[in-house]
Each structure stands twice: as structure tokens, then as C-alpha cells.
Amino acid sequence: MQFKPTALLLAGVMAASSCTHSPFSPSQRDPQSVNVALPYDARRGSPAEYDAGAPADSKWIELFGSTPNYRALGVEALGGTAKTDEKFRWEFGPMWYRGRLTPESVKVFVVGQEGAQDENVSNRAFTGSTGTRTQRFLNHLGIHRSYLFLNTFVYTINGQLEDDPRFKWIEQGEESPIVEYRHKLFDNMMVTNANTVALFMGVGSGGKASLATWINARGGKCSTAWELKNCDTRGMKQWFKENRGIEVKNDILAIGVPHPGGANPNLGGDAAMENIKAGFSGAAQRVAAYKVANKNWLPQDIDEKATPEELIARLQAGYTYKGYAPIPFRDFAFNTNWRMGSEGTTSNRWGANSIQVYSDAGAYNDKNSQFPYKPQDLDSGMNEKKTALIGMGPRDLPYESPRYYAGKWSADRPDFDYGPCGYLRYDQGACALSEALVSWPNMKNLGINYISHDSFGYFGTYRGRGKGAQVYVVMDQTSHDDFFSARAVTGAEGQKLQAMLNRAGVGLNYFIQRSLPVDTLGMNTGDLVAGATKPEMTAVYKRIYEIVARNSDIKAVVAVGPVAKAIVDSLQLSGVQIVQLQDLNSLTADNEAIRMISQALGTQAGIYNGELMTIPREDLPYHSRWWMGSSGDRGYRGENYSQGNYYRVYAPQWVSRLYPLSLTKEEKEDLAAKMKKHVKQ
């Protein structure tokens, strides 16, 4: 029969308290390593690898948390009407970067305007068609990981870059608030990679212009003409020494290439493609010549299989512009669906407030699947005006990630989840927990007939902390939000669970595991239970639990749903309190569960009335927008056609109705004065 969350099953078993385990070691690896059953492109590395985000003690935290008010600046500077003529797409927020944020890890710095729907889904720049084409070029140079991509604008643009002098000033005027912010980002790249950065690369007219503007503002001499061939960066060394107190080690070559998106039939077609091919080929030749003349310049990455001599020969042989190179898993947040960065574009917009992702068996802009037109917004904790979520700061925006507030930020309690390995592992590949969370057997061979296409991989496997947990939750899938949030049970039922954990006084001391790491919503419950309790699956569940338990003091284990109950039973745990719920639809059972958890933890139980609570930012990956994990279910699976090949995410309606946050009086006056000085009316 199909599982419908209506019946109630509640059982509690009191036992002796568990012991405290030794702290998590950043170097700890699981001797079982990784055994991934689903097929994936080995060129991407291991699915256990991921990008944790900016190091806790880095300047990036402050910079990314201090984004200018793009919406209001666009409307004010361009003379548009709020919400009708806005230049920047905003419902899905900004995307700042892709690549390395750790010190001395960047050899190639890439700038362009590549923020579109794929980037909005992945929360990383350059992950769609242009990103994978540029990735192939970098790989040709022997660079597979030592890069950083930053955008000309951190928000996506409605339409193309324009010749409007007001827009050109906003884009490249040295006193433009957006340019000033961009230069802070670029400066930080240089300061933190003074010993390693060797190559600048501008992609498209916006990327080349942004590089040239910055180079000129920092002591160099650069023109965008002829793909940056006349850029002289030597003066930058003196500028950074005098103004930032750093010694830039390498001579830096600047190259430019046309934007790969220019080959779109609507933009240029065959003629544009020939220009793109010539541009990439010319850039590769310049790199080859510079490398031959400077043997120690731009050393190849450890991933490069060619010897240095073979690499030189390859560079001299030239570059053919064709195809893509997949983006490594290490460039994405843990458990980002595997379609992101796997080839070219893998998603498309459905209006301003919705994006649809398709499998490698699906198609771009497919219209046959059925989705809700406007999913209902639920209150997961909003202010009285219904314009912000409880917990947001005074300058926070619901379509951005949390902003930086001096004195509030703490590396010990960051406002995002660094991933299964914790913040000490942000640039060290993988750890025992991340490896265990992707090491699943062939589930279909065990009778687990999931719906999601294999190309999406595993997603939403966990949420919370693998170190210091006191409550361990196993919960059945209840929505498709996890596909987009990359964390377990973040939809409406997950928001109920969050409120319950809050009433039990758990704080953030929990680890939540979803029963199965693929989409099984709507499948036969009996079959799922039978498959999930096979020895091969039980071994994985035990492995995950034991890794968390080694680094935690688990006092209660909570199972929500019939599959979760069967999994917890199969673990045969002792020394902890077991709490089992068939679902979260009975207030009587919910409050009894809260009482039992509180008793195990020695906390004071509160009364739960069925409310939702927004998922804490500490549970979600770096740069998750505020509305993710709020307002009920935001993710949906396409139904009645090619099921499992299409998933769609919706911004909440209350977010889409928001007008721009107004500029302050001082900001308006400053902008007007600068534009009067620099822009001819």
C-alpha cells in the first residue's frame, strides 16, 4: 500500500545515558572509504568532496555578506520603475564565486558575467554552459582546481549588457558602488593569493571590461581591445605593495575570450561561433608562448596527468574549442544534485520565481510535466508585516544569504553549514562522514524502486551537525525541497520537526538523516521498508551512526515514518532513548515525543501547537538564500510525464511581492552626486 501520514505510532524506551566520545579529528578518514553505486563522471572527483564555503577566519565572510543594494541601485540609477523595469533578477538572489577561497590556492583568476538559472540552483558562479566550456579551457592549461571565478555582477541580468551610459557607469565607473564592491572582492583575491596567482582571464565583454577597470585602478595599464592583448599588469605589484603591504610574486598575464553564450542563434549564430573559436584559440596560444618563455610560470595542478614536458607540447599544439568539461564535485556544496556542472545548461527558468532542473534523460524547457502553478506559502515564522523571516537582521534580504554584522559573526557558530566534515575541512577533500553519506549499495537491486533519475545522484542525505549531536533523527522523505536545499527534510514537515526540536530544548545539537538518499516519495512503503532493512543498507546506516556517535553524546534517537522506524530498529541501539513517530500529524504524539526527548536531555519541554519553524541558517550550505527552508514546501517533482526527470523550485509568493529595500538618504545623495559628475545626461 502507499504510505499516507495519518496513523500514529509512538513508543519510547528509557535506557542508561550514553558516554561522551572523543572530539572529531579533521584528518579522520573511514577505512571503508567510498563505494558509490550510482554512475558518475570520474573526472569530477569523488561525490564525497565538496566546497564548504569561505574559511571562518577569512575576509570573504565579511565581503560576501556586504553586497550592495543591487535592486535599489539599478532602479535609482537607470530610472526604472521598481518591480517592472528592474535590470537585475533578484528572486533567487546573487551568486558570488566558484573555486578556491583558501589562501594561496588560486593560480587562475576568471571574471565574467555568468550568473543564470544553473548558477541560481547551485549557488555557485559559472556552473552552466559557459562554466563548463571555460572549465575545459582551464583543464587544457593543466589547471583543474587552482582557480577562482567571480562575476561582473553578483546578480543575474535581465537582458544583455547595454550601451546606456548610466548602465555603463554602474558597470564600470570607478566610483560606482557596484564597482567599488567588485574591486574589494578582486583585491581580496590578490591579497590572499599573492604567491600563487599567475593568470587573469576575462570572459565576455563584461568580464574583460571589469578586469581592465580593476587593473587600471590598481596601477596597471589595460585596454579591452584585442582580447586584453595590451594589458600590462606589472604596475599592480607596486600598487599592492604600497596600498596593501603585500609582495605579488608572479608576473601576471591577462587574457580575454569571447563569451560562449554569444553563439546563441539569437545573438550571433555561426559568425559568432567562429569568433569564439578564434578567441579561445588565440588565448591558448598566448598562454603557451608565455609558458615556454617562463618555465616555472603557472605550474600544473596535481590532477594533471601529463608531465610538464607533455603539457608544454600540448599547449604548443593549440586549442580546439568544442564540448564541455564537467565541473568537479569539490566546487559545489555537499549533496548538490549531480546534474549541476555535469555538462552544459541543465535547467531553465519558468518566469521570474521558478527554475526547473532536468535529468540527462530530460530536455531543456520541457513543458509536459505537471507542477503547481503557485505553491501555497506557509508561515514558518514571519514578522507582523509578512515581509521578513524571524531571525533576519535589519539589512538582511530574504533572497540573499545572511549579511555580515560586525560583532555578531562568530567562527564558532557560523550562519551556514560548512558540511559533514566541519569548517576545519573546507579545503581538504572529504572525511569519514561525507564518504559514508555517498556510499550506498545498488538500491534497485535491493528492491528500492526510487523515482529520481540516476543522473541526479544522492541529495538531501543529512542536516545538522556530525559533531556534538545529542539527538539523532532518522526521517522519511516528505517533500522535494531537499533536492534544492542539499540538506535533509527542509520542506514543510522538516519545518514542523524544527519547531518540535526547539520545543524540546535541543538547540542545534542534532543530526538528521533522511531515510533514503534518493526520491522515493509515493513509492510502496512495504517495499521501501524491506529494501532499507537489507544487510547491505543496514551496514551503511550503522556506519553513518557510528561516525556521528564517535564525535557526539547521543542521548535520544528519533524515527519519523515507517521506513525510519524500521531503520532504527535494525540498528539495535542501546544506551539511548528511542522515540518513534509514524508522522508529525498528531499533536498528542508530537508533544509526547517532545517530552521524552526533553527528559533524555534534561531540558524543559515546551508545548507544540503544530507551528512551522524556518530551518536555521546553520543547517544550510554557504550562500543559501534566506527563503530556502522557509514558507512550507518550495521544491516539487514533475508528475504524470517522464516522472523523476524534472524538478522545480519556487520562490515564495511573499518574496516575489517585495519591493526593493530603499537606499538611505545618504546613499541616494551620494549616488546622484557621482552620476552627475561622471554621466552625461
Side-chain angles (χ1 to χ4, degrees):
M1 65 177 182
Q2 298 292 323
F3 166 55
K4 296 182 179 180
T6 55
L8 164 69
L9 171 63
L10 175 67
V13 179
M14 287 298 297
S17 62
S18 56
C19 61
T20 301
H21 301 276
S22 59
F24 173 70
S25 169
S27 62
Q28 182 183 28
R29 297 298 296 273
D30 193 323
Q32 299 177 74
S33 192
V34 186
N35 182 22
V36 182
L38 289 183
Y40 66 92
D41 192 331
R43 293 176 297 172
R44 306 187 72 181
S46 167
E49 297 178 320
Y50 63 94
D51 171 33
D57 57 353
S58 72
K59 182 71 171 179
W60 293 116
I61 297 289
E62 177 182 348
L63 289 173
F64 291 143
S66 305
T67 309
N69 188 341
Y70 264 73
R71 290 187 68 192
L73 286 170
V75 171
E76 191 78 17
L78 302 178
T81 302
K83 294 191 67 181
T84 59
D85 300 315
E86 293 196 50
K87 186 61 182 175
F88 301 104
R89 292 192 180 101
W90 54 272
E91 279 94 338
F92 282 84
M95 69 295 300
W96 287 267
Y97 80 100
R98 175 167 69 85
R100 311 285 78 80
L101 297 178
T102 46
E104 308 299 359
S105 59
V106 176
K107 299 173 187 175
V108 181
F109 177 46
V110 184
V111 180
Q113 184 53 36
E114 184 54 18
Q117 60 270 19
D118 280 35
E119 288 75 16
N120 277 145
V121 172
S122 69
N123 282 334
R124 295 295 184 268
F126 279 82
T127 59
S129 178
T130 296
T132 51
R133 289 186 184 277
T134 308
Q135 190 75 26
R136 183 175 181 272
F137 180 81
L138 294 181
N139 292 355
H140 174 77
L141 305 183
I143 302 300
H144 301 263
R145 65 174 68 210
S146 302
Y147 47 73
L148 178 63
F149 290 80
L150 291 177
N151 272 328
T152 294
F153 297 111
V154 299
Y155 275 83
T156 62
I157 300 174
N158 282 310
Q160 302 298 316
L161 301 177
E162 298 175 353
D163 292 329
D164 183 327
R166 297 171 302 177
F167 182 82
K168 296 305 293 183
W169 180 79
I170 280 288
E171 180 196 5
Q172 299 300 337
E174 193 170 338
E175 287 191 300
S176 159
I178 287 175
V179 174
E180 289 176 339
Y181 173 69
R182 181 196 304 148
H183 284 182
K184 290 178 182 178
L185 296 174
F186 290 9
D187 287 353
N188 197 55
M189 180 285 304
M190 185 73 102
V191 168
T192 56
N193 296 281
N195 292 313
T196 55
V197 66
L199 177 66
F200 295 161
M201 180 176 179
V203 180
S205 60
K208 288 177 284 190
S210 295
L211 264 181
T213 299
W214 175 60
I215 290 169
N216 289 328
R218 297 298 182 260
K221 297 179 181 180
C222 189
S223 166
T224 59
W226 298 292
E227 304 293 9
L228 304 182
K229 286 183 180 178
N230 293 330
C231 275
D232 184 348
T233 65
R234 289 174 296 179
M236 300 181 78
K237 288 188 174 184
Q238 187 65 26
W239 191 95
F240 275 94
K241 182 177 181 179
E242 293 177 355
N243 293 275
R244 295 292 186 270
I246 64 165
E247 297 280 354
V248 177
K249 176 181 178 182
N250 298 306
D251 291 329
I252 300 171
L253 175 67
I255 60 174
V257 295
H259 197 291
N264 185 307
N266 297 324
L267 298 177
D270 293 342
M273 176 56 79
E274 291 306 313
N275 181 58
I276 292 168
K277 290 179 179 179
F280 272 85
S281 176
Q285 290 171 6
R286 291 185 61 204
V287 172
Y290 206 85
K291 178 73 174 173
V292 169
N294 304 273
K295 292 294 191 295
N296 296 322
W297 177 79
L298 195 63
Q300 63 200 57
D301 280 347
I302 58 173
D303 315 76
E304 176 56 51
K305 294 180 173 57
T307 65
E309 294 74 23
E310 291 170 338
L311 177 60
I312 287 289
R314 186 174 78 203
L315 293 174
Q316 290 180 314
Y319 179 74
T320 302
Y321 179 87
K322 65 177 182 179
Y324 309 93
I327 294 169
F329 289 114
R330 72 175 73 94
D331 285 10
F332 297 95
F334 183 73
N335 267 183
T336 298
N337 82 80
W338 296 358
R339 282 288 284 165
M340 296 293 102
S342 61
E343 48 179 30
T345 299
T346 56
S347 69
N348 57 272
R349 291 189 190 277
W350 281 78
N353 72 331
S354 180
I355 299 174
Q356 177 172 297
V357 179
Y358 55 93
S359 75
D360 66 9
Y364 182 85
N365 206 29
D366 188 282
K367 297 180 174 64
N368 293 299
S369 293
Q370 293 185 6
F371 288 93
Y373 175 60
K374 288 184 178 180
Q376 179 185 4
D377 291 353
L378 301 179
D379 188 349
S380 62
M382 299 187 68
N383 64 8
E384 293 182 358
K385 295 181 178 179
K386 308 297 183 185
T387 58
L389 298 164
I390 294 173
M392 289 175 57
R395 300 291 289 181
D396 277 355
L397 299 169
Y399 40 85
E400 290 185 355
S401 51
R403 298 184 72 81
Y404 175 82
Y405 295 97
K408 178 179 179 293
W409 166 258
S410 169
D412 296 327
R413 184 57 63 83
D415 52 17
F416 61 92
D417 174 30
Y418 273 104
C421 308
Y423 76 90
L424 293 177
R425 298 283 308 182
Y426 48 62
D427 197 38
Q428 300 179 42
C431 65
L433 185 54
S434 73
E435 291 170 345
L437 288 167
V438 299
S439 296
W440 300 92
N442 189 315
M443 287 179 281
K444 288 188 175 177
N445 287 350
L446 301 177
I448 301 173
N449 294 312
Y450 52 89
I451 299 175
S452 51
H453 193 273
D454 283 352
S455 62
F456 289 129
Y458 306 124
F459 47 88
T461 58
Y462 91 101
R463 175 161 67 84
R465 278 136 292 284
K467 176 184 177 183
Q470 292 183 304
V471 177
Y472 192 104
V473 180
V474 182
M475 185 167 174
D476 290 353
Q477 180 187 359
T478 55
S479 77
H480 301 293
D481 289 60
D482 308 357
F483 183 91
F484 296 99
S485 69
R487 293 296 183 265
V489 291
T490 57
E493 294 299 302
Q495 294 160 40
K496 283 186 183 180
L497 174 69
Q498 198 65 42
M500 292 174 59
L501 293 174
N502 185 56
R503 293 290 182 268
V506 178
L508 295 174
N509 302 316
Y510 53 77
F511 181 87
I512 301 170
Q513 180 185 353
R514 205 176 75 185
S515 301
L516 294 163
V518 286
D519 181 9
T520 60
L521 198 60
M523 300 303 291
N524 183 278
T525 302
D527 292 343
L528 296 180
V529 168
T533 52
K534 294 285 180 64
E536 298 92 331
M537 294 294 289
T538 299
V540 178
Y541 295 127
K542 284 185 176 180
R543 180 182 174 190
I544 296 170
Y545 180 84
E546 288 170 357
I547 292 170
V548 175
R550 283 200 302 266
N551 304 290
S552 301
D553 183 13
I554 297 173
K555 299 179 183 298
V557 174
V558 182
V560 183
V563 183
K565 175 188 180 301
I567 291 169
V568 171
D569 287 344
S570 72
L571 294 178
Q572 299 180 329
L573 300 174
S574 62
V576 296
Q577 175 153 302
I578 308 296
V579 181
Q580 295 179 339
L581 287 160
Q582 184 77 5
D583 52 51
L584 302 181
N585 293 330
S586 166
L587 289 179
T588 300
D590 294 345
N591 279 287
E592 177 61 11
I594 290 170
R595 184 195 65 78
M596 295 169 66
I597 296 169
S598 296
Q599 186 174 356
L601 270 58
T603 57
Q604 180 66 44
I607 303 299
Y608 175 63
N609 295 309
E611 66 273 16
L612 277 61
M613 181 177 176
T614 297
I615 304 300
R617 300 302 93 185
E618 294 92 338
D619 282 13
L620 299 179
Y622 194 44
H623 286 163
S624 295
R625 59 199 64 85
W626 261 104
W627 62 252
M628 184 63 74
S630 82
S631 309
D633 293 340
R634 310 297 350 141
Y636 291 84
R637 180 181 68 210
E639 304 293 353
N640 300 325
Y641 167 80
S642 197
Q643 198 176 50
N645 286 308
Y646 299 93
Y647 291 82
R648 194 178 292 182
V649 62
Y650 293 81
Q653 294 180 51
W654 68 269
V655 172
S656 296
R657 290 192 292 264
L658 293 174
Y659 283 85
L661 180 68
S662 297
L663 296 176
T664 64
K665 179 182 178 182
E666 292 76 14
E667 288 171 334
K668 287 184 178 182
E669 291 175 348
D670 182 62
L671 181 66
K674 288 176 178 176
M675 291 193 70
K676 184 177 181 180
K677 181 170 62 173
H678 295 290
V679 180
K680 293 182 179 180
Q681 301 298 320

